[in-house]
C-alpha cells in the first residue's frame, strides 16, 4: 500500500452567516424549521449502525411551545447498553487499526456536510430543540461543530508529529494508541457542538464510543448522527443511547473495559460519576481517563477607569444571549460606584429593548429556557430576590410558562456580595450585580476570587493597565478563560481553547490538542540497531 506523510487541510474557522433579511441562508433555515416543526420524527437508538426501536418512548417538544410535539425517542433497557458496549468493543478491532488519515477523512467530510447540505437542518433542529435564535444556532450547531471537527484533525496530526529524539544507535518512536476498551460520552443540552464533539473527538483518535446525549437535545443529536453516518463513521464506532441516565451510566461503568469518560454538564453530576468510577476502580483493566467540563459562576469586574457603556454591553450580551444558558454566561458583576448610574441606565434600556418569543420570529433576541425544571428553579430565585431585603430587581422579574418556558431577562442588584445569586449557578437569564466602592478595587478582586466554588470564565474591564495587571494576577485561579475588556462568552475553537478549573472541571480545554491527548495512550518504541552481546560494561575492567 502507498504511504506518505500526509498534510491535512489547514483548519480555518467557519465564517458565521448573517441571516439578514433577504439572505438565502435565512430562507433555507426558516423552510427547514417549518418542515421539522410540522413533521414528527421518531428517533431510535443507534447500536452497531442499526436503528434500534424499543417500544418504550418519550415525546420531544420545543421549550418555547411545550405542547407542540415534534417527535419521540426510544428508551434503552440495560440489555441495549450491554449490546452497545459489546458492539463497540468488536468495532474497536478494526477501527483502532485504521490508518489515521482514513479517520481524518471521515470527520473532515462530516465538517463539510454540516457546512453545506446539513447546515439549515442542524440549525433549525437546534432552534427547535434548545430554543436558540438563528444566530445562536449558527455559531453553535454549524460553526463551532465544524470548527471542532476541522481543528481536531489538525491537532491530531500535531500530536502524532510530537516525537522523541533519536541517536545514531537507536530509533525512538512514540505511537499514540487509542485507549484500550471503550469510552463513554455524556453530553449537555446547551450546545449541539459539544454534543457532537465529545464522541467525535474520541472516535477521531481511534476510540470506540457509547454516547448518551441529554434528553433535551435528542432532536438535534439525531442530525449529528445522520451526518456521522453519511460521513462514513463505521458501524459500532459511535453508539447512541437514550434513557435513564443512572441505569445507562451504571451499566457502562460496571464494565471492566470502560476506559474513559468525556463529560460536559453540571458539577454535581460529574462528581457523582467520578465517585462511581472510584468505587469500581479495582474492576477496570486500565485506569479510566476522566474529563469533565462543568458548571460556572462567571463574573465581570469593572474598574473605575472602564468605559461604562462597554461595561453595560458586556453585561447584557454576556448574561442574556441564549437566555444565559451558556456555561460561560456572566452571572455576577461587580461595578464601581462611579460608573453605576450610567451602567444601570444602559443595562435597563438594553434589556427593555429585547424582544422575547419563538426563535422562528427572527426579531426575537430572547427565547425560552430549556425545560420546566429550569423554569421553576429560576422563578424561585426571582421570587426570593423580590422578597429579600438585600436584593432588588431593577429590570425583568416576570415569568410565564403557559405556552413556553419564558423567563424575562432579570437584573438583581444586591447590597450583599455573598447573596445567594452571587454564588449559585442558576443557568438562566438572571445576573446579579454588586456595586462596590470605587476605591475598593483590590478588596473587590479578592471577593471575586472567594465568592464561588467555580472557576470557568471571567472578565475585567478597565483602561488602567495596572488595574488590568492586578486583576490578571489576583484572579489567576478564578477562571480558565479570562477576558480583558470583553464579555466572558464566545470562545472560538482554535483561538480560545475552553475549560475551567476548581469545581468547573478538569480543564482539559475542548478545542485544543490538550483535550485530544487525554484520548490516547502513548506507546514508546525503542529500536536498537546493534544489539549488545556481552553483559560486562567497560567499568568492570
Ligand atoms: P446536566 O448535568 O443536567 O446533564 C448533563 C448530562 O448528564 C446529560 O446527558 C444528562 O442526561 C446526564 N445526567 C444527568 N443526571 C445523570 C446521572 N445521575 N447519571 C449520569 N448522567 C446523568 O447538565 P445540563 O443541564 O444538560 O447542562 C447544563 C450544565 O452544563 C451547566 O451546569 C453548565 O455550566 C454545564 N456546562 C459546562 C460546560 C463547560 O464547558 N464547562 C459547557 C456546557 C455546559
Amino acid at each position: 500500500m502507498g504511504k506518505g506523510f500526509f498534510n491535512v487541510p489547514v483548519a480555518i474557522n467557519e465564517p458565521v452567516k448573517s441571516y439578514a433579511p433577504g439572505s438565502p441562508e435565512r430562507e433555507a433555515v426558516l423552510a427547514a424549521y417549518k418542515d421539522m416543526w410540522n413533521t414528527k420524527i421518531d428517533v431510535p437508538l443507534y447500536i452497531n449502525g442499526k436503528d434500534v426501536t424499543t417500544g418504550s418512548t418519550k415525546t420531544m417538544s420545543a421549550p418555547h411551545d411545550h405542547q407542540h410535539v415534534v417527535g419521540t425517542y426510544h428508551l434503552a433497557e440495560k440489555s441495549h447498553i450491554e449490546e452497545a458496549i459489546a458492539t463497540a468493543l468488536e468495532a474497536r478491532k478494526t477501527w483502532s487499526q485504521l490508518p489515521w488519515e482514513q479517520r481524518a477523512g471521515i470527520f473532515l467530510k462530516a465538517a463539510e456536510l454540516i457546512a453545506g447540505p446539513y447546515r439549515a437542518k442542524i440549525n433549525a433542529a437546534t432552534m427547535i430543540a434548545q430554543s436558540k435564535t438563528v444566530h445562536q444556532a449558527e455559531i453553535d450547531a454549524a460553526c463551532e461543530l465544524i470548527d471542532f471537527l476541522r481543528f481536531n484533525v489538525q491537532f491530531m496530526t500535531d500530536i502524532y508529529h510530537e516525537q522523541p529524539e533519536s541517536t545514531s544507535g537507536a530509533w525512538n518512536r512514540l505511537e499514540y494508541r487509542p485507549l484500550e476498551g471503550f469510552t463513554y460520552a455524556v453530553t449537555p443540552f446547551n450546545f449541539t457542538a459539544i454534543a457532537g464533539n465529545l464522541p467525535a473527538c474520541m472516535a477521531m483518535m481511534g476510540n470506540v464510543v457509547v454516547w448518551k446525549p441529554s434528553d433535551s437535545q435528542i432532536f438535534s443529536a439525531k442530525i449529528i448522527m445522520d451526518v456521522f453516518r453519511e460521513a462514513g463513521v463505521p458501524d459500532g464506532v459511535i453508539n447512541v443511547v437514550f434513557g435513564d441516565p443512572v441505569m445507562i451510566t451504571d451499566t457502562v461503568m460496571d464494565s471492566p473495559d470502560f476506559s474513559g469518560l468525556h463529560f460536559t454538564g453540571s458539577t454535581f453530576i460529574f462528581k457523582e460519576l467520578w465517585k462511581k468510577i472510584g468505587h469500581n476502580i479495582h474492576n477496570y483493566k486500565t485506569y479510566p481517563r476522566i474529563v469533565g467540563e462543568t458548571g460556572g459562576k462567571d463574573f465581570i469586574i469593572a474598574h473605575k477607569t472602564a468605559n461604562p457603556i462597554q461595561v453595560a454591553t458586556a453585561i447584557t450580551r454576556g448574561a442574556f444571549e441564549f437566555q444565559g444558558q451558556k456555561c460561560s454566561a456572566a452571572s455576577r458583576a461587580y461595578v464601581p460606584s462611579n460608573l453605576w448610574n450610567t451602567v444601570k441606565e444602559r443595562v435597563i434600556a438594553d434589556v427593555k429593548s429585547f424582544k422575547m418569543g419563538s426563535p422562528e420570529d427572527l426579531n426575537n433576541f430572547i427565547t425560552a429556557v430549556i425545560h420546566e425544571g429550569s423554569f421553576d428553579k429560576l422563578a424561585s430565585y426571582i421570587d426570593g430576590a423580590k422578597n429579600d431585603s438585600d436584593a432588588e430587581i431593577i429590570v425583568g422579574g416576570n415569568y410565564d410558562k403557559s405556552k413556553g418556558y419564558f423567563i424575562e431577562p432579570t437584573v438583581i442588584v444586591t447590597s450583599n456580595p455573598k447573596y445567594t445569586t452571587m454564588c449559585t449557578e442558576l443557568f438562566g437569564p438572571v445576573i446579579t450585580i454588586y456595586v462596590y466602592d470605587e476605591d475598593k478595587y483590590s478588596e473587590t478582586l479578592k471577593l471575586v476570587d472567594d465568592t464561588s466554588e467555580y472557576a470557568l470564565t471571567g472578565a475585567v474591564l478597565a483602561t488602567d493597565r495596572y488595574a488590568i495587571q492586578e486583576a490578571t494576577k489576583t484572579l489567576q485561579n478564578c477562571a480558565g478563560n479570562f477576558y480583558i475588556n470583553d464579555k466572558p462568552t464566545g470562545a472560538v475553537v482554535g483561538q480560545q481553547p475552553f475549560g475551567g478549573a476548581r469545581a468547573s472541571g478538569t480543564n482539559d480545554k475542548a478545542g485544543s490538542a490538550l483535550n485530544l491527548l487525554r484520548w490516547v495512550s502513548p506507546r514508546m518504541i525503542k529500536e536498537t540497531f546493534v544489539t549488545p552481546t556481552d553483559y560486562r560494561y567497560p567499568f568492570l575492567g
Side-chain angles (χ1 to χ4, degrees), residues 184-191 194 211-216 243-250 253 263-270 272-273 276 292-298 325-328 370-371 425 427 454 456 498-500 504-505 510:
Y184 183 38
V186 181
T187 56
F189 80 83
N190 66 336
F191 274 84
I194 296 177
W211 169 27
K212 197 212 84 57
S214 157
D215 289 354
S216 305
D244 174 5
V246 175
M247 179 278 290
I248 296 173
T249 301
D250 286 351
M253 292 183 177
F263 176 89
T264 300
S266 56
T267 297
F268 179 80
I269 300 294
F270 182 54
E272 288 299 298
L273 301 196
K276 283 186 190 185
E293 295 304 330
T294 61
K297 190 69 197 170
D298 309 307
Q325 296 172 118
K326 300 184 182 193
C327 43
S328 55
I370 193 68
H371 48 48
E425 184 187 49
F427 220 59
Y454 300 107
L456 191 49
F498 191 80
S504 291

Side-chain angles (χ1 to χ4, degrees), residues 150-160 493-494 511-513 516:
R150 286 184 185 150
F151 276 88
N152 279 344
V153 165
Q154 187 178 304
F155 297 141
M156 171 175 68
T157 59
D158 291 345
I159 288 173
Y160 292 162
V493 176
S512 80
L516 299 190

Side-chain angles (χ1 to χ4, degrees), residues 467-513:
I468 292 171
Q469 167 56 18
E470 189 182 348
T472 309
K473 183 162 172 275
T474 308
L475 303 177
Q476 186 179 32
N477 296 311
C478 209
N481 285 57
F482 185 63
Y483 294 79
I484 297 170
N485 288 324
D486 204 343
K487 63 183 168 53
T489 60
V492 174
V493 176
Q495 297 187 38
Q496 296 100 19
F498 191 80
R502 293 187 183 163
S504 291
T506 54
N507 201 12
D508 288 294
K509 296 288 187 231
S512 80

